[in-house]
mmCIF file of all heavy atoms in Angstrom:
data_model
loop_
_atom_site.group_PDB
_atom_site.id
_atom_site.type_symbol
_atom_site.label_atom_id
_atom_site.label_comp_id
_atom_site.label_asym_id
_atom_site.label_seq_id
_atom_site.Cartn_x
_atom_site.Cartn_y
_atom_site.Cartn_z
ATOM 1 N N LYS A 2 7.966 -5.543 -15.681
ATOM 2 C CA LYS A 2 7.169 -6.495 -14.914
ATOM 3 C C LYS A 2 6.116 -5.727 -14.120
ATOM 4 O O LYS A 2 6.163 -4.511 -14.027
ATOM 5 C CB LYS A 2 8.066 -7.315 -14.007
ATOM 6 C CG LYS A 2 9.021 -8.212 -14.788
ATOM 7 C CD LYS A 2 9.739 -9.148 -13.868
ATOM 8 C CE LYS A 2 10.596 -10.095 -14.694
ATOM 9 N NZ LYS A 2 11.202 -11.110 -13.877
ATOM 10 N N GLU A 8 -5.928 -6.597 -1.421
ATOM 11 C CA GLU A 8 -6.322 -6.215 -0.071
ATOM 12 C C GLU A 8 -7.650 -6.873 0.264
ATOM 13 O O GLU A 8 -8.645 -6.675 -0.438
ATOM 14 C CB GLU A 8 -6.456 -4.696 0.005
ATOM 15 C CG GLU A 8 -6.676 -4.177 1.389
ATOM 16 C CD GLU A 8 -6.661 -2.658 1.414
ATOM 17 O OE1 GLU A 8 -5.864 -2.049 0.682
ATOM 18 O OE2 GLU A 8 -7.470 -2.096 2.163
ATOM 19 N N SER A 11 -12.920 -7.904 3.864
ATOM 20 C CA SER A 11 -13.850 -8.529 4.805
ATOM 21 C C SER A 11 -13.028 -9.084 5.962
ATOM 22 O O SER A 11 -12.200 -9.954 5.766
ATOM 23 C CB SER A 11 -14.618 -9.662 4.138
ATOM 24 O OG SER A 11 -15.395 -9.173 3.084
ATOM 25 N N MET A 12 -13.267 -8.581 7.136
ATOM 26 C CA MET A 12 -12.458 -8.954 8.297
ATOM 27 C C MET A 12 -13.281 -9.715 9.322
ATOM 28 O O MET A 12 -14.493 -9.553 9.413
ATOM 29 C CB MET A 12 -11.893 -7.706 8.975
ATOM 30 C CG MET A 12 -11.097 -6.811 8.087
ATOM 31 S SD MET A 12 -9.674 -7.649 7.394
ATOM 32 C CE MET A 12 -9.271 -6.525 6.093
ATOM 33 N N ALA A 13 -12.573 -10.497 10.117
ATOM 34 C CA ALA A 13 -13.208 -11.194 11.235
ATOM 35 C C ALA A 13 -13.544 -10.167 12.306
ATOM 36 O O ALA A 13 -12.849 -9.164 12.472
ATOM 37 C CB ALA A 13 -12.250 -12.245 11.796
ATOM 38 N N THR A 18 -6.933 -5.084 18.367
ATOM 39 C CA THR A 18 -6.756 -3.872 17.562
ATOM 40 C C THR A 18 -6.346 -4.187 16.136
ATOM 41 O O THR A 18 -6.511 -3.358 15.255
ATOM 42 C CB THR A 18 -5.689 -2.951 18.191
ATOM 43 O OG1 THR A 18 -4.478 -3.691 18.331
ATOM 44 C CG2 THR A 18 -6.139 -2.423 19.533
ATOM 45 N N SER A 20 -6.609 -6.125 12.478
ATOM 46 C CA SER A 20 -7.632 -6.717 11.623
ATOM 47 C C SER A 20 -7.135 -8.076 11.150
ATOM 48 O O SER A 20 -5.983 -8.212 10.742
ATOM 49 C CB SER A 20 -7.882 -5.823 10.408
ATOM 50 O OG SER A 20 -8.424 -4.602 10.819
ATOM 51 N N SER A 26 -7.384 -19.945 4.889
ATOM 52 C CA SER A 26 -7.122 -21.135 4.080
ATOM 53 C C SER A 26 -6.347 -20.802 2.805
ATOM 54 O O SER A 26 -5.690 -21.665 2.238
ATOM 55 C CB SER A 26 -8.422 -21.853 3.747
ATOM 56 O OG SER A 26 -9.293 -21.000 3.026
ATOM 57 N N GLU A 43 11.830 -12.488 5.662
ATOM 58 C CA GLU A 43 11.901 -11.568 6.789
ATOM 59 C C GLU A 43 10.524 -11.557 7.433
ATOM 60 O O GLU A 43 9.509 -11.458 6.740
ATOM 61 C CB GLU A 43 12.277 -10.169 6.296
ATOM 62 C CG GLU A 43 12.537 -9.177 7.399
ATOM 63 C CD GLU A 43 13.114 -7.875 6.874
ATOM 64 O OE1 GLU A 43 14.255 -7.887 6.378
ATOM 65 O OE2 GLU A 43 12.403 -6.856 6.948
ATOM 66 N N LYS A 48 6.469 -5.333 19.011
ATOM 67 C CA LYS A 48 7.208 -5.533 20.252
ATOM 68 C C LYS A 48 6.371 -6.249 21.319
ATOM 69 O O LYS A 48 6.873 -7.097 22.048
ATOM 70 C CB LYS A 48 7.702 -4.187 20.780
ATOM 71 C CG LYS A 48 9.001 -4.248 21.476
ATOM 72 C CD LYS A 48 9.505 -2.855 21.793
ATOM 73 C CE LYS A 48 11.000 -2.935 21.878
ATOM 74 N NZ LYS A 48 11.625 -1.633 21.959
ATOM 75 N N GLU A 49 5.085 -5.917 21.390
ATOM 76 C CA GLU A 49 4.224 -6.555 22.395
ATOM 77 C C GLU A 49 3.929 -8.017 22.065
ATOM 78 O O GLU A 49 3.325 -8.726 22.861
ATOM 79 C CB GLU A 49 2.926 -5.769 22.612
ATOM 80 C CG GLU A 49 2.060 -5.614 21.405
ATOM 81 C CD GLU A 49 2.300 -4.311 20.636
ATOM 82 O OE1 GLU A 49 3.344 -3.660 20.809
ATOM 83 O OE2 GLU A 49 1.427 -3.962 19.841
ATOM 84 N N ILE A 57 10.083 -17.805 16.845
ATOM 85 C CA ILE A 57 10.883 -17.781 15.617
ATOM 86 C C ILE A 57 12.356 -18.000 15.951
ATOM 87 O O ILE A 57 13.024 -18.851 15.363
ATOM 88 C CB ILE A 57 10.712 -16.443 14.862
ATOM 89 C CG1 ILE A 57 9.253 -16.229 14.449
ATOM 90 C CG2 ILE A 57 11.634 -16.395 13.635
ATOM 91 C CD1 ILE A 57 8.952 -14.798 14.022
ATOM 92 N N ASN A 59 13.791 -19.241 18.618
ATOM 93 C CA ASN A 59 14.084 -20.561 19.189
ATOM 94 C C ASN A 59 13.987 -21.674 18.150
ATOM 95 O O ASN A 59 14.727 -22.656 18.214
ATOM 96 C CB ASN A 59 13.138 -20.863 20.355
ATOM 97 C CG ASN A 59 13.405 -19.953 21.541
ATOM 98 O OD1 ASN A 59 14.519 -19.455 21.718
ATOM 99 N ND2 ASN A 59 12.383 -19.704 22.324
ATOM 100 N N ASN A 63 19.459 -19.823 13.399
ATOM 101 C CA ASN A 63 20.404 -19.162 12.491
ATOM 102 C C ASN A 63 19.878 -17.863 11.891
ATOM 103 O O ASN A 63 20.576 -17.231 11.110
ATOM 104 C CB ASN A 63 20.809 -20.116 11.360
ATOM 105 C CG ASN A 63 21.624 -21.279 11.897
ATOM 106 O OD1 ASN A 63 22.335 -21.149 12.881
ATOM 107 N ND2 ASN A 63 21.487 -22.426 11.264
ATOM 108 N N GLY A 70 12.777 -0.173 16.781
ATOM 109 C CA GLY A 70 11.707 0.600 17.415
ATOM 110 C C GLY A 70 10.643 -0.312 17.966
ATOM 111 O O GLY A 70 10.889 -1.111 18.854
ATOM 112 N N GLN A 78 17.933 -17.095 5.435
ATOM 113 C CA GLN A 78 17.821 -17.842 4.184
ATOM 114 C C GLN A 78 16.565 -18.708 4.221
ATOM 115 O O GLN A 78 16.220 -19.268 5.262
ATOM 116 C CB GLN A 78 19.063 -18.720 3.977
ATOM 117 C CG GLN A 78 20.325 -17.920 3.728
ATOM 118 C CD GLN A 78 20.179 -17.019 2.516
ATOM 119 O OE1 GLN A 78 19.802 -17.456 1.432
ATOM 120 N NE2 GLN A 78 20.457 -15.737 2.702
ATOM 121 N N LEU A 79 15.922 -18.820 3.096
ATOM 122 C CA LEU A 79 14.709 -19.621 2.999
ATOM 123 C C LEU A 79 15.092 -21.066 2.683
ATOM 124 O O LEU A 79 14.897 -21.565 1.591
ATOM 125 C CB LEU A 79 13.777 -19.041 1.923
ATOM 126 C CG LEU A 79 12.370 -19.621 1.888
ATOM 127 C CD1 LEU A 79 11.650 -19.407 3.213
ATOM 128 C CD2 LEU A 79 11.575 -18.988 0.762
ATOM 129 N N GLU A 85 9.497 -25.039 6.301
ATOM 130 C CA GLU A 85 8.634 -25.880 7.149
ATOM 131 C C GLU A 85 8.078 -25.070 8.318
ATOM 132 O O GLU A 85 6.896 -25.166 8.650
ATOM 133 C CB GLU A 85 9.412 -27.087 7.676
ATOM 134 C CG GLU A 85 8.570 -27.991 8.538
ATOM 135 C CD GLU A 85 9.346 -29.169 9.104
ATOM 136 O OE1 GLU A 85 10.420 -29.516 8.567
ATOM 137 O OE2 GLU A 85 8.875 -29.730 10.098
ATOM 138 N N ARG A 90 3.920 -23.229 11.347
ATOM 139 C CA ARG A 90 3.818 -22.463 12.592
ATOM 140 C C ARG A 90 3.292 -21.048 12.381
ATOM 141 O O ARG A 90 3.422 -20.196 13.261
ATOM 142 C CB ARG A 90 5.191 -22.389 13.257
ATOM 143 C CG ARG A 90 5.855 -23.736 13.530
ATOM 144 C CD ARG A 90 5.383 -24.415 14.777
ATOM 145 N NE ARG A 90 5.874 -23.828 15.979
ATOM 146 C CZ ARG A 90 7.079 -24.043 16.506
ATOM 147 N NH1 ARG A 90 7.923 -24.845 15.920
ATOM 148 N NH2 ARG A 90 7.422 -23.451 17.626
ATOM 149 N N PHE A 134 -0.941 -16.954 -12.066
ATOM 150 C CA PHE A 134 -1.201 -17.787 -10.894
ATOM 151 C C PHE A 134 -2.063 -17.040 -9.884
ATOM 152 O O PHE A 134 -3.062 -17.566 -9.393
ATOM 153 C CB PHE A 134 0.105 -18.242 -10.224
ATOM 154 C CG PHE A 134 -0.132 -18.806 -8.847
ATOM 155 C CD1 PHE A 134 -0.566 -20.110 -8.700
ATOM 156 C CD2 PHE A 134 0.035 -18.023 -7.712
ATOM 157 C CE1 PHE A 134 -0.826 -20.628 -7.428
ATOM 158 C CE2 PHE A 134 -0.222 -18.533 -6.450
ATOM 159 C CZ PHE A 134 -0.650 -19.844 -6.307
ATOM 160 N N GLU A 136 -4.009 -14.359 -10.200
ATOM 161 C CA GLU A 136 -5.357 -14.049 -10.671
ATOM 162 C C GLU A 136 -6.252 -15.285 -10.610
ATOM 163 O O GLU A 136 -7.370 -15.233 -10.115
ATOM 164 C CB GLU A 136 -5.307 -13.465 -12.080
ATOM 165 C CG GLU A 136 -4.734 -12.063 -12.079
ATOM 166 C CD GLU A 136 -4.593 -11.461 -13.457
ATOM 167 O OE1 GLU A 136 -4.360 -12.218 -14.425
ATOM 168 O OE2 GLU A 136 -4.696 -10.237 -13.562
ATOM 169 N N PHE A 139 -6.846 -16.386 -6.807
ATOM 170 C CA PHE A 139 -7.832 -15.600 -6.070
ATOM 171 C C PHE A 139 -9.249 -15.837 -6.587
ATOM 172 O O PHE A 139 -10.192 -15.885 -5.807
ATOM 173 C CB PHE A 139 -7.479 -14.112 -6.087
ATOM 174 C CG PHE A 139 -6.414 -13.779 -5.086
ATOM 175 C CD1 PHE A 139 -5.179 -13.328 -5.497
ATOM 176 C CD2 PHE A 139 -6.627 -13.939 -3.732
ATOM 177 C CE1 PHE A 139 -4.187 -13.034 -4.586
ATOM 178 C CE2 PHE A 139 -5.645 -13.652 -2.800
ATOM 179 C CZ PHE A 139 -4.422 -13.203 -3.232
ATOM 180 N N SER A 147 -13.740 -21.852 -11.139
ATOM 181 C CA SER A 147 -12.614 -22.673 -11.549
ATOM 182 C C SER A 147 -12.666 -22.881 -13.044
ATOM 183 O O SER A 147 -13.658 -22.565 -13.689
ATOM 184 C CB SER A 147 -12.621 -24.015 -10.822
ATOM 185 O OG SER A 147 -13.791 -24.714 -11.141
ATOM 186 N N GLU A 149 -10.839 -22.460 -16.962
ATOM 187 C CA GLU A 149 -10.039 -21.510 -17.733
ATOM 188 C C GLU A 149 -10.716 -20.147 -17.716
ATOM 189 O O GLU A 149 -11.924 -20.033 -17.827
ATOM 190 C CB GLU A 149 -9.893 -21.995 -19.181
ATOM 191 C CG GLU A 149 -9.121 -23.291 -19.295
ATOM 192 C CD GLU A 149 -7.698 -23.180 -18.779
ATOM 193 O OE1 GLU A 149 -7.032 -22.177 -19.085
ATOM 194 O OE2 GLU A 149 -7.261 -24.092 -18.057
ATOM 195 N N ASP A 152 -8.564 -13.398 -20.444
ATOM 196 C CA ASP A 152 -8.068 -12.140 -19.907
ATOM 197 C C ASP A 152 -9.170 -11.100 -19.740
ATOM 198 O O ASP A 152 -9.150 -10.310 -18.809
ATOM 199 C CB ASP A 152 -6.963 -11.569 -20.788
ATOM 200 C CG ASP A 152 -5.654 -12.326 -20.620
ATOM 201 O OD1 ASP A 152 -5.525 -13.042 -19.611
ATOM 202 O OD2 ASP A 152 -4.786 -12.206 -21.489
ATOM 203 N N ALA A 153 -10.142 -11.105 -20.629
ATOM 204 C CA ALA A 153 -11.222 -10.119 -20.539
ATOM 205 C C ALA A 153 -11.985 -10.284 -19.226
ATOM 206 O O ALA A 153 -12.344 -9.312 -18.581
ATOM 207 C CB ALA A 153 -12.174 -10.273 -21.720
ATOM 208 N N ASN A 164 -18.709 -15.050 -0.771
ATOM 209 C CA ASN A 164 -19.441 -15.122 0.489
ATOM 210 C C ASN A 164 -18.563 -14.751 1.681
ATOM 211 O O ASN A 164 -19.061 -14.358 2.713
ATOM 212 C CB ASN A 164 -19.997 -16.534 0.691
ATOM 213 C CG ASN A 164 -21.056 -16.868 -0.322
ATOM 214 O OD1 ASN A 164 -21.697 -15.983 -0.869
ATOM 215 N ND2 ASN A 164 -21.233 -18.146 -0.590
#
Side-chain angles (χ1 to χ4, degrees):
K2 294 188 176 186
E8 188 174 322
S11 298
M12 304 300 164
T18 56
S20 295
S26 60
E43 187 171 293
K48 214 172 206 170
E49 60 266 18
I57 299 165
N59 292 334
N63 293 330
Q78 292 302 308
L79 191 59
E85 181 182 340
R90 304 278 286 279
F134 166 81
E136 289 177 329
F139 281 115
S147 61
E149 296 299 316
D152 285 342
N164 293 335

